[in-house]
Amino acid sequence: MKTVLNIIWLVLSGFWLFLGYMLAGVIMCVLIITIPWGIASFRIAKYALWPFGREVVQKPTAGVWSFLGNIIWFVLAGIWLAIAHVVSGIALCITIIGIPLGIADFKMVPISLAPLGKEIVET
């Protein structure tokens, strides 16, 4: 079932969200100082492309630097990616088949706002 959901997700919104995260990652890497945020964006891009069967968990070693980094991420790219998740989640919830996908999209908003200090694990 996860594979079917992932394929439908990929076709309906996953590819576009993947491109958004990749664009944010490239911009962050070009700015050199923000390379750690670029790497986090690439990590989340893979998750946005194929989310079912994975889960976001808090890293036990995350500290104050992750919090400060998340503030910078929020200003530079997080708010725009969160808006993309909300808009695509609303669009997916219009149809009955898209409701589980829309809910999954809304669950990605927290990681799009604050990706540092979190990791993506298989369920």
Side-chain angles (χ1 to χ4, degrees):
M1 191 64 181
K2 293 178 199 175
T3 305
V4 172
L5 285 172
N6 277 323
I7 291 170
I8 296 170
W9 169 267
L10 180 67
V11 171
L12 294 179
S13 71
F15 179 72
W16 300 108
L17 293 170
F18 169 78
L19 288 180
Y21 280 106
M22 292 302 285
L23 177 66
V26 168
I27 291 171
M28 295 292 174
C29 286
V30 166
L31 297 175
I32 296 179
I33 295 174
T34 56
I35 287 176
W37 292 276
I39 293 169
S41 184
F42 295 142
R43 182 172 39 92
I44 300 169
K46 290 190 299 186
Y47 177 60
L49 192 62
W50 205 258
F52 295 98
R54 296 182 188 178
E55 184 178 22
V56 177
V57 296
Q58 188 76 24
K59 277 186 184 176
T61 58
V64 71
W65 292 111
S66 293
F67 175 74
L68 296 174
N70 283 330
I71 292 172
I72 295 168
W73 169 263
F74 178 83
V75 173
L76 296 177
I79 190 72
W80 304 110
L81 292 168
I83 290 170
H85 279 292
V86 170
V87 169
S88 85
I90 290 170
L92 287 169
C93 285
I94 291 173
T95 65
I96 292 174
I97 294 172
I99 291 174
L101 303 172
I103 292 169
D105 217 349
F106 295 137
K107 287 181 181 178
M108 288 186 183
V109 171
I111 194 168
S112 70
L113 291 173
L116 301 177
K118 295 180 176 70
E119 62 184 336
I120 300 162
V121 296
E122 300 288 327
T123 55

mmCIF file of all heavy atoms in Angstrom, residues 47-96:
data_model
loop_
_atom_site.group_PDB
_atom_site.id
_atom_site.type_symbol
_atom_site.label_atom_id
_atom_site.label_comp_id
_atom_site.label_asym_id
_atom_site.label_seq_id
_atom_site.Cartn_x
_atom_site.Cartn_y
_atom_site.Cartn_z
ATOM 1 N N TYR A 47 12.786 12.991 1.027
ATOM 2 C CA TYR A 47 11.610 12.637 1.825
ATOM 3 C C TYR A 47 10.335 13.130 1.148
ATOM 4 O O TYR A 47 9.330 12.422 1.117
ATOM 5 C CB TYR A 47 11.750 13.217 3.229
ATOM 6 C CG TYR A 47 10.571 12.979 4.128
ATOM 7 C CD1 TYR A 47 10.154 11.688 4.441
ATOM 8 C CD2 TYR A 47 9.883 14.035 4.697
ATOM 9 C CE1 TYR A 47 9.088 11.465 5.281
ATOM 10 C CE2 TYR A 47 8.810 13.827 5.542
ATOM 11 C CZ TYR A 47 8.416 12.540 5.828
ATOM 12 O OH TYR A 47 7.352 12.322 6.663
ATOM 13 N N ALA A 48 10.367 14.333 0.586
ATOM 14 C CA ALA A 48 9.191 14.880 -0.090
ATOM 15 C C ALA A 48 8.874 14.118 -1.371
ATOM 16 O O ALA A 48 7.736 14.115 -1.828
ATOM 17 C CB ALA A 48 9.404 16.359 -0.406
ATOM 18 N N LEU A 49 9.855 13.477 -1.946
ATOM 19 C CA LEU A 49 9.645 12.718 -3.171
ATOM 20 C C LEU A 49 8.977 11.369 -2.891
ATOM 21 O O LEU A 49 8.144 10.913 -3.674
ATOM 22 C CB LEU A 49 10.991 12.494 -3.870
ATOM 23 C CG LEU A 49 10.966 11.975 -5.287
ATOM 24 C CD1 LEU A 49 10.255 12.961 -6.199
ATOM 25 C CD2 LEU A 49 12.382 11.752 -5.778
ATOM 26 N N TRP A 50 9.274 10.736 -1.767
ATOM 27 C CA TRP A 50 8.810 9.384 -1.462
ATOM 28 C C TRP A 50 8.552 9.278 0.049
ATOM 29 O O TRP A 50 9.301 8.634 0.780
ATOM 30 C CB TRP A 50 9.893 8.398 -1.905
ATOM 31 C CG TRP A 50 9.452 7.023 -2.219
ATOM 32 C CD1 TRP A 50 9.599 5.931 -1.407
ATOM 33 C CD2 TRP A 50 8.821 6.552 -3.402
ATOM 34 N NE1 TRP A 50 9.102 4.822 -2.034
ATOM 35 C CE2 TRP A 50 8.618 5.168 -3.265
ATOM 36 C CE3 TRP A 50 8.395 7.174 -4.580
ATOM 37 C CZ2 TRP A 50 8.013 4.399 -4.242
ATOM 38 C CZ3 TRP A 50 7.804 6.403 -5.545
ATOM 39 C CH2 TRP A 50 7.618 5.042 -5.377
ATOM 40 N N PRO A 51 7.467 9.899 0.586
ATOM 41 C CA PRO A 51 7.313 10.019 2.043
ATOM 42 C C PRO A 51 6.717 8.821 2.780
ATOM 43 O O PRO A 51 6.995 8.631 3.958
ATOM 44 C CB PRO A 51 6.376 11.216 2.183
ATOM 45 C CG PRO A 51 5.535 11.149 0.967
ATOM 46 C CD PRO A 51 6.448 10.648 -0.121
ATOM 47 N N PHE A 52 5.894 8.037 2.121
ATOM 48 C CA PHE A 52 5.216 6.962 2.839
ATOM 49 C C PHE A 52 6.198 5.839 3.152
ATOM 50 O O PHE A 52 6.970 5.415 2.314
ATOM 51 C CB PHE A 52 4.026 6.448 2.028
ATOM 52 C CG PHE A 52 2.951 7.486 1.870
ATOM 53 C CD1 PHE A 52 2.873 8.243 0.719
ATOM 54 C CD2 PHE A 52 2.062 7.727 2.893
ATOM 55 C CE1 PHE A 52 1.904 9.219 0.573
ATOM 56 C CE2 PHE A 52 1.084 8.699 2.765
ATOM 57 C CZ PHE A 52 1.008 9.449 1.595
ATOM 58 N N GLY A 53 6.145 5.366 4.400
ATOM 59 C CA GLY A 53 7.100 4.370 4.862
ATOM 60 C C GLY A 53 8.285 4.995 5.569
ATOM 61 O O GLY A 53 9.227 4.312 5.947
ATOM 62 N N ARG A 54 8.244 6.305 5.735
ATOM 63 C CA ARG A 54 9.295 7.024 6.461
ATOM 64 C C ARG A 54 8.654 7.898 7.533
ATOM 65 O O ARG A 54 7.477 8.205 7.473
ATOM 66 C CB ARG A 54 10.102 7.911 5.513
ATOM 67 C CG ARG A 54 10.854 7.165 4.471
ATOM 68 C CD ARG A 54 11.632 8.126 3.652
ATOM 69 N NE ARG A 54 12.246 7.469 2.509
ATOM 70 C CZ ARG A 54 12.949 8.119 1.619
ATOM 71 N NH1 ARG A 54 13.121 9.411 1.724
ATOM 72 N NH2 ARG A 54 13.483 7.473 0.612
ATOM 73 N N GLU A 55 9.483 8.311 8.475
ATOM 74 C CA GLU A 55 8.992 9.115 9.583
ATOM 75 C C GLU A 55 10.082 10.100 10.002
ATOM 76 O O GLU A 55 11.269 9.802 9.911
ATOM 77 C CB GLU A 55 8.655 8.167 10.737
ATOM 78 C CG GLU A 55 8.061 8.798 11.930
ATOM 79 C CD GLU A 55 7.721 7.754 12.979
ATOM 80 O OE1 GLU A 55 8.298 6.648 12.957
ATOM 81 O OE2 GLU A 55 6.896 8.067 13.835
ATOM 82 N N VAL A 56 9.666 11.259 10.474
ATOM 83 C CA VAL A 56 10.597 12.274 10.952
ATOM 84 C C VAL A 56 10.670 12.170 12.471
ATOM 85 O O VAL A 56 9.647 12.174 13.157
ATOM 86 C CB VAL A 56 10.123 13.695 10.543
ATOM 87 C CG1 VAL A 56 11.058 14.746 11.109
ATOM 88 C CG2 VAL A 56 10.023 13.805 9.041
ATOM 89 N N VAL A 57 11.893 12.056 12.992
ATOM 90 C CA VAL A 57 12.096 11.989 14.440
ATOM 91 C C VAL A 57 13.126 13.035 14.860
ATOM 92 O O VAL A 57 13.963 13.456 14.060
ATOM 93 C CB VAL A 57 12.558 10.583 14.893
ATOM 94 C CG1 VAL A 57 11.490 9.546 14.628
ATOM 95 C CG2 VAL A 57 13.846 10.183 14.225
ATOM 96 N N GLN A 58 13.041 13.433 16.102
ATOM 97 C CA GLN A 58 13.976 14.397 16.663
ATOM 98 C C GLN A 58 15.308 13.718 16.938
ATOM 99 O O GLN A 58 15.350 12.615 17.491
ATOM 100 C CB GLN A 58 13.388 14.969 17.956
ATOM 101 C CG GLN A 58 14.148 16.099 18.552
ATOM 102 C CD GLN A 58 13.942 17.406 17.805
ATOM 103 O OE1 GLN A 58 12.945 17.594 17.132
ATOM 104 N NE2 GLN A 58 14.888 18.304 17.922
ATOM 105 N N LYS A 59 16.404 14.365 16.555
ATOM 106 C CA LYS A 59 17.731 13.835 16.880
ATOM 107 C C LYS A 59 18.001 14.075 18.359
ATOM 108 O O LYS A 59 17.768 15.173 18.865
ATOM 109 C CB LYS A 59 18.808 14.566 16.077
ATOM 110 C CG LYS A 59 19.009 14.068 14.699
ATOM 111 C CD LYS A 59 20.204 14.776 14.089
ATOM 112 C CE LYS A 59 20.407 14.391 12.662
ATOM 113 N NZ LYS A 59 21.502 15.161 12.056
ATOM 114 N N PRO A 60 18.528 13.082 19.043
ATOM 115 C CA PRO A 60 18.807 13.282 20.471
ATOM 116 C C PRO A 60 19.963 14.251 20.711
ATOM 117 O O PRO A 60 20.069 14.836 21.777
ATOM 118 C CB PRO A 60 19.141 11.878 20.983
ATOM 119 C CG PRO A 60 19.473 11.083 19.778
ATOM 120 C CD PRO A 60 18.794 11.726 18.613
ATOM 121 N N THR A 61 20.814 14.453 19.719
ATOM 122 C CA THR A 61 21.967 15.334 19.898
ATOM 123 C C THR A 61 21.693 16.770 19.459
ATOM 124 O O THR A 61 22.595 17.599 19.483
ATOM 125 C CB THR A 61 23.158 14.798 19.088
ATOM 126 O OG1 THR A 61 22.788 14.707 17.706
ATOM 127 C CG2 THR A 61 23.594 13.439 19.595
ATOM 128 N N ALA A 62 20.466 17.072 19.050
ATOM 129 C CA ALA A 62 20.145 18.429 18.606
ATOM 130 C C ALA A 62 20.189 19.377 19.801
ATOM 131 O O ALA A 62 19.666 19.075 20.874
ATOM 132 C CB ALA A 62 18.770 18.466 17.956
ATOM 133 N N GLY A 63 20.805 20.515 19.591
ATOM 134 C CA GLY A 63 20.930 21.469 20.674
ATOM 135 C C GLY A 63 20.536 22.867 20.251
ATOM 136 O O GLY A 63 19.727 23.063 19.351
ATOM 137 N N VAL A 64 21.165 23.818 20.891
ATOM 138 C CA VAL A 64 20.820 25.218 20.651
ATOM 139 C C VAL A 64 21.218 25.661 19.245
ATOM 140 O O VAL A 64 20.561 26.512 18.663
ATOM 141 C CB VAL A 64 21.449 26.119 21.738
ATOM 142 C CG1 VAL A 64 22.948 26.221 21.578
ATOM 143 C CG2 VAL A 64 20.827 27.497 21.714
ATOM 144 N N TRP A 65 22.261 25.048 18.674
ATOM 145 C CA TRP A 65 22.682 25.440 17.329
ATOM 146 C C TRP A 65 21.641 25.043 16.294
ATOM 147 O O TRP A 65 21.437 25.767 15.312
ATOM 148 C CB TRP A 65 24.053 24.851 16.991
ATOM 149 C CG TRP A 65 25.123 25.458 17.832
ATOM 150 C CD1 TRP A 65 25.829 24.833 18.813
ATOM 151 C CD2 TRP A 65 25.589 26.810 17.800
ATOM 152 N NE1 TRP A 65 26.710 25.707 19.390
ATOM 153 C CE2 TRP A 65 26.584 26.939 18.780
ATOM 154 C CE3 TRP A 65 25.257 27.932 17.050
ATOM 155 C CZ2 TRP A 65 27.247 28.122 19.033
ATOM 156 C CZ3 TRP A 65 25.930 29.122 17.286
ATOM 157 C CH2 TRP A 65 26.906 29.213 18.271
ATOM 158 N N SER A 66 20.987 23.928 16.512
ATOM 159 C CA SER A 66 19.903 23.526 15.607
ATOM 160 C C SER A 66 18.756 24.523 15.695
ATOM 161 O O SER A 66 18.160 24.887 14.681
ATOM 162 C CB SER A 66 19.387 22.138 15.970
ATOM 163 O OG SER A 66 20.361 21.170 15.732
ATOM 164 N N PHE A 67 18.453 24.958 16.902
ATOM 165 C CA PHE A 67 17.381 25.942 17.080
ATOM 166 C C PHE A 67 17.713 27.249 16.361
ATOM 167 O O PHE A 67 16.880 27.797 15.640
ATOM 168 C CB PHE A 67 17.141 26.191 18.580
ATOM 169 C CG PHE A 67 16.143 27.269 18.845
ATOM 170 C CD1 PHE A 67 14.787 27.040 18.646
ATOM 171 C CD2 PHE A 67 16.550 28.530 19.274
ATOM 172 C CE1 PHE A 67 13.866 28.039 18.881
ATOM 173 C CE2 PHE A 67 15.631 29.531 19.505
ATOM 174 C CZ PHE A 67 14.289 29.286 19.315
ATOM 175 N N LEU A 68 18.931 27.733 16.545
ATOM 176 C CA LEU A 68 19.328 28.978 15.876
ATOM 177 C C LEU A 68 19.373 28.810 14.361
ATOM 178 O O LEU A 68 18.975 29.703 13.612
ATOM 179 C CB LEU A 68 20.687 29.445 16.409
ATOM 180 C CG LEU A 68 20.716 29.833 17.884
ATOM 181 C CD1 LEU A 68 22.143 30.125 18.327
ATOM 182 C CD2 LEU A 68 19.812 31.018 18.147
ATOM 183 N N GLY A 69 19.837 27.663 13.904
ATOM 184 C CA GLY A 69 19.847 27.380 12.476
ATOM 185 C C GLY A 69 18.450 27.316 11.883
ATOM 186 O O GLY A 69 18.213 27.764 10.757
ATOM 187 N N ASN A 70 17.515 26.780 12.662
ATOM 188 C CA ASN A 70 16.129 26.714 12.196
ATOM 189 C C ASN A 70 15.502 28.101 12.064
ATOM 190 O O ASN A 70 14.657 28.312 11.191
ATOM 191 C CB ASN A 70 15.293 25.834 13.119
ATOM 192 C CG ASN A 70 15.536 24.368 12.875
ATOM 193 O OD1 ASN A 70 15.856 23.958 11.764
ATOM 194 N ND2 ASN A 70 15.408 23.568 13.913
ATOM 195 N N ILE A 71 15.916 29.024 12.898
ATOM 196 C CA ILE A 71 15.414 30.398 12.768
ATOM 197 C C ILE A 71 15.882 30.996 11.442
ATOM 198 O O ILE A 71 15.097 31.612 10.709
ATOM 199 C CB ILE A 71 15.867 31.262 13.966
ATOM 200 C CG1 ILE A 71 15.173 30.788 15.242
ATOM 201 C CG2 ILE A 71 15.568 32.738 13.711
ATOM 202 C CD1 ILE A 71 15.688 31.424 16.500
ATOM 203 N N ILE A 72 17.139 30.790 11.114
ATOM 204 C CA ILE A 72 17.666 31.293 9.835
ATOM 205 C C ILE A 72 16.968 30.596 8.671
ATOM 206 O O ILE A 72 16.582 31.235 7.688
ATOM 207 C CB ILE A 72 19.193 31.101 9.780
ATOM 208 C CG1 ILE A 72 19.858 31.972 10.838
ATOM 209 C CG2 ILE A 72 19.731 31.416 8.394
ATOM 210 C CD1 ILE A 72 21.315 31.667 11.077
ATOM 211 N N TRP A 73 16.794 29.276 8.751
ATOM 212 C CA TRP A 73 16.110 28.521 7.703
ATOM 213 C C TRP A 73 14.685 29.037 7.506
ATOM 214 O O TRP A 73 14.217 29.185 6.381
ATOM 215 C CB TRP A 73 16.082 27.042 8.047
ATOM 216 C CG TRP A 73 15.176 26.248 7.169
ATOM 217 C CD1 TRP A 73 13.890 25.875 7.431
ATOM 218 C CD2 TRP A 73 15.473 25.758 5.860
ATOM 219 N NE1 TRP A 73 13.378 25.176 6.388
ATOM 220 C CE2 TRP A 73 14.320 25.090 5.399
ATOM 221 C CE3 TRP A 73 16.594 25.806 5.041
ATOM 222 C CZ2 TRP A 73 14.263 24.482 4.162
ATOM 223 C CZ3 TRP A 73 16.532 25.197 3.802
ATOM 224 C CH2 TRP A 73 15.385 24.552 3.374
ATOM 225 N N PHE A 74 13.979 29.286 8.613
ATOM 226 C CA PHE A 74 12.600 29.768 8.546
ATOM 227 C C PHE A 74 12.506 31.044 7.721
ATOM 228 O O PHE A 74 11.635 31.184 6.866
ATOM 229 C CB PHE A 74 12.052 30.001 9.959
ATOM 230 C CG PHE A 74 10.652 30.538 9.983
ATOM 231 C CD1 PHE A 74 9.582 29.667 9.869
ATOM 232 C CD2 PHE A 74 10.410 31.891 10.114
ATOM 233 C CE1 PHE A 74 8.281 30.155 9.892
ATOM 234 C CE2 PHE A 74 9.118 32.379 10.130
ATOM 235 C CZ PHE A 74 8.047 31.512 10.027
ATOM 236 N N VAL A 75 13.433 31.953 7.949
ATOM 237 C CA VAL A 75 13.421 33.235 7.237
ATOM 238 C C VAL A 75 13.796 33.063 5.772
ATOM 239 O O VAL A 75 13.159 33.645 4.883
ATOM 240 C CB VAL A 75 14.371 34.242 7.930
ATOM 241 C CG1 VAL A 75 14.514 35.506 7.117
ATOM 242 C CG2 VAL A 75 13.888 34.550 9.333
ATOM 243 N N LEU A 76 14.806 32.256 5.486
ATOM 244 C CA LEU A 76 15.308 32.146 4.116
ATOM 245 C C LEU A 76 14.445 31.271 3.217
ATOM 246 O O LEU A 76 14.219 31.611 2.056
ATOM 247 C CB LEU A 76 16.747 31.622 4.131
ATOM 248 C CG LEU A 76 17.776 32.531 4.792
ATOM 249 C CD1 LEU A 76 19.133 31.853 4.805
ATOM 250 C CD2 LEU A 76 17.857 33.872 4.080
ATOM 251 N N ALA A 77 13.985 30.128 3.704
ATOM 252 C CA ALA A 77 13.270 29.210 2.816
ATOM 253 C C ALA A 77 12.092 28.497 3.467
ATOM 254 O O ALA A 77 11.177 28.076 2.770
ATOM 255 C CB ALA A 77 14.239 28.158 2.273
ATOM 256 N N GLY A 78 12.104 28.348 4.762
ATOM 257 C CA GLY A 78 11.099 27.529 5.435
ATOM 258 C C GLY A 78 9.676 27.989 5.246
ATOM 259 O O GLY A 78 8.781 27.174 4.996
ATOM 260 N N ILE A 79 9.440 29.270 5.341
ATOM 261 C CA ILE A 79 8.070 29.771 5.225
ATOM 262 C C ILE A 79 7.508 29.503 3.837
ATOM 263 O O ILE A 79 6.344 29.146 3.678
ATOM 264 C CB ILE A 79 7.991 31.266 5.616
ATOM 265 C CG1 ILE A 79 6.538 31.711 5.737
ATOM 266 C CG2 ILE A 79 8.711 32.135 4.620
ATOM 267 C CD1 ILE A 79 5.840 31.174 6.932
ATOM 268 N N TRP A 80 8.354 29.629 2.811
ATOM 269 C CA TRP A 80 7.878 29.428 1.428
ATOM 270 C C TRP A 80 7.575 27.955 1.163
ATOM 271 O O TRP A 80 6.587 27.632 0.493
ATOM 272 C CB TRP A 80 8.904 29.963 0.435
ATOM 273 C CG TRP A 80 9.219 31.392 0.708
ATOM 274 C CD1 TRP A 80 10.394 31.888 1.192
ATOM 275 C CD2 TRP A 80 8.332 32.504 0.582
ATOM 276 N NE1 TRP A 80 10.290 33.250 1.363
ATOM 277 C CE2 TRP A 80 9.034 33.656 0.993
ATOM 278 C CE3 TRP A 80 7.010 32.649 0.165
ATOM 279 C CZ2 TRP A 80 8.463 34.920 0.997
ATOM 280 C CZ3 TRP A 80 6.443 33.908 0.172
ATOM 281 C CH2 TRP A 80 7.165 35.021 0.582
ATOM 282 N N LEU A 81 8.404 27.082 1.685
ATOM 283 C CA LEU A 81 8.156 25.655 1.509
ATOM 284 C C LEU A 81 6.940 25.198 2.318
ATOM 285 O O LEU A 81 6.168 24.356 1.859
ATOM 286 C CB LEU A 81 9.400 24.859 1.894
ATOM 287 C CG LEU A 81 10.584 25.069 0.943
ATOM 288 C CD1 LEU A 81 11.851 24.500 1.551
ATOM 289 C CD2 LEU A 81 10.311 24.474 -0.410
ATOM 290 N N ALA A 82 6.739 25.777 3.481
ATOM 291 C CA ALA A 82 5.557 25.445 4.282
ATOM 292 C C ALA A 82 4.286 25.897 3.562
ATOM 293 O O ALA A 82 3.282 25.170 3.554
ATOM 294 C CB ALA A 82 5.652 26.096 5.657
ATOM 295 N N ILE A 83 4.331 27.064 2.948
ATOM 296 C CA ILE A 83 3.180 27.534 2.175
ATOM 297 C C ILE A 83 2.903 26.581 1.020
ATOM 298 O O ILE A 83 1.737 26.262 0.729
ATOM 299 C CB ILE A 83 3.409 28.983 1.687
ATOM 300 C CG1 ILE A 83 3.352 29.945 2.871
ATOM 301 C CG2 ILE A 83 2.388 29.374 0.625
ATOM 302 C CD1 ILE A 83 3.809 31.353 2.545
ATOM 303 N N ALA A 84 3.944 26.100 0.366
ATOM 304 C CA ALA A 84 3.761 25.137 -0.731
ATOM 305 C C ALA A 84 3.099 23.862 -0.229
ATOM 306 O O ALA A 84 2.213 23.305 -0.899
ATOM 307 C CB ALA A 84 5.107 24.822 -1.386
ATOM 308 N N HIS A 85 3.495 23.389 0.954
ATOM 309 C CA HIS A 85 2.872 22.185 1.521
ATOM 310 C C HIS A 85 1.402 22.423 1.848
ATOM 311 O O HIS A 85 0.561 21.560 1.593
ATOM 312 C CB HIS A 85 3.618 21.737 2.783
ATOM 313 C CG HIS A 85 4.852 20.955 2.510
ATOM 314 N ND1 HIS A 85 4.836 19.695 1.962
ATOM 315 C CD2 HIS A 85 6.155 21.260 2.698
ATOM 316 C CE1 HIS A 85 6.074 19.251 1.840
ATOM 317 N NE2 HIS A 85 6.893 20.187 2.278
ATOM 318 N N VAL A 86 1.090 23.560 2.417
ATOM 319 C CA VAL A 86 -0.298 23.853 2.774
ATOM 320 C C VAL A 86 -1.168 23.966 1.520
ATOM 321 O O VAL A 86 -2.261 23.395 1.453
ATOM 322 C CB VAL A 86 -0.379 25.135 3.638
ATOM 323 C CG1 VAL A 86 -1.822 25.583 3.808
ATOM 324 C CG2 VAL A 86 0.266 24.895 4.995
ATOM 325 N N VAL A 87 -0.679 24.677 0.518
ATOM 326 C CA VAL A 87 -1.450 24.840 -0.719
ATOM 327 C C VAL A 87 -1.660 23.493 -1.405
ATOM 328 O O VAL A 87 -2.779 23.167 -1.815
ATOM 329 C CB VAL A 87 -0.755 25.847 -1.667
ATOM 330 C CG1 VAL A 87 -1.371 25.831 -3.043
ATOM 331 C CG2 VAL A 87 -0.810 27.248 -1.074
ATOM 332 N N SER A 88 -0.609 22.692 -1.520
ATOM 333 C CA SER A 88 -0.779 21.397 -2.185
ATOM 334 C C SER A 88 -1.624 20.457 -1.321
ATOM 335 O O SER A 88 -2.378 19.646 -1.849
ATOM 336 C CB SER A 88 0.567 20.789 -2.555
ATOM 337 O OG SER A 88 1.133 20.076 -1.512
ATOM 338 N N GLY A 89 -1.530 20.568 -0.002
ATOM 339 C CA GLY A 89 -2.367 19.743 0.874
ATOM 340 C C GLY A 89 -3.839 20.070 0.724
ATOM 341 O O GLY A 89 -4.680 19.171 0.678
ATOM 342 N N ILE A 90 -4.157 21.338 0.613
ATOM 343 C CA ILE A 90 -5.550 21.740 0.398
ATOM 344 C C ILE A 90 -6.033 21.244 -0.954
ATOM 345 O O ILE A 90 -7.146 20.711 -1.081
ATOM 346 C CB ILE A 90 -5.696 23.273 0.518
ATOM 347 C CG1 ILE A 90 -5.497 23.695 1.972
ATOM 348 C CG2 ILE A 90 -7.051 23.732 0.007
ATOM 349 C CD1 ILE A 90 -5.378 25.193 2.171
ATOM 350 N N ALA A 91 -5.210 21.379 -1.978
ATOM 351 C CA ALA A 91 -5.587 20.906 -3.310
ATOM 352 C C ALA A 91 -5.798 19.389 -3.326
ATOM 353 O O ALA A 91 -6.720 18.893 -3.976
ATOM 354 C CB ALA A 91 -4.522 21.302 -4.327
ATOM 355 N N LEU A 92 -4.965 18.653 -2.599
ATOM 356 C CA LEU A 92 -5.116 17.202 -2.553
ATOM 357 C C LEU A 92 -6.372 16.778 -1.796
ATOM 358 O O LEU A 92 -6.986 15.771 -2.125
ATOM 359 C CB LEU A 92 -3.884 16.558 -1.918
ATOM 360 C CG LEU A 92 -2.625 16.547 -2.774
ATOM 361 C CD1 LEU A 92 -1.427 16.141 -1.939
ATOM 362 C CD2 LEU A 92 -2.784 15.622 -3.960
ATOM 363 N N CYS A 93 -6.756 17.533 -0.791
ATOM 364 C CA CYS A 93 -7.924 17.171 0.018
ATOM 365 C C CYS A 93 -9.247 17.424 -0.697
ATOM 366 O O CYS A 93 -10.298 17.048 -0.181
ATOM 367 C CB CYS A 93 -7.891 17.915 1.351
ATOM 368 S SG CYS A 93 -6.684 17.233 2.500
ATOM 369 N N ILE A 94 -9.217 18.015 -1.860
ATOM 370 C CA ILE A 94 -10.458 18.263 -2.600
ATOM 371 C C ILE A 94 -11.103 16.951 -3.045
ATOM 372 O O ILE A 94 -12.316 16.825 -3.049
ATOM 373 C CB ILE A 94 -10.194 19.204 -3.796
ATOM 374 C CG1 ILE A 94 -9.875 20.593 -3.269
ATOM 375 C CG2 ILE A 94 -11.372 19.251 -4.746
ATOM 376 C CD1 ILE A 94 -9.440 21.573 -4.328
ATOM 377 N N THR A 95 -10.291 15.967 -3.404
ATOM 378 C CA THR A 95 -10.845 14.680 -3.835
ATOM 379 C C THR A 95 -10.750 13.663 -2.699
ATOM 380 O O THR A 95 -9.911 13.787 -1.806
ATOM 381 C CB THR A 95 -10.072 14.131 -5.048
ATOM 382 O OG1 THR A 95 -8.734 13.841 -4.647
ATOM 383 C CG2 THR A 95 -10.063 15.124 -6.194
ATOM 384 N N ILE A 96 -11.578 12.655 -2.754
ATOM 385 C CA ILE A 96 -11.577 11.624 -1.711
ATOM 386 C C ILE A 96 -10.278 10.830 -1.740
ATOM 387 O O ILE A 96 -9.705 10.513 -0.702
ATOM 388 C CB ILE A 96 -12.800 10.695 -1.875
ATOM 389 C CG1 ILE A 96 -14.066 11.481 -1.571
ATOM 390 C CG2 ILE A 96 -12.692 9.478 -0.973
ATOM 391 C CD1 ILE A 96 -15.341 10.753 -1.832
#
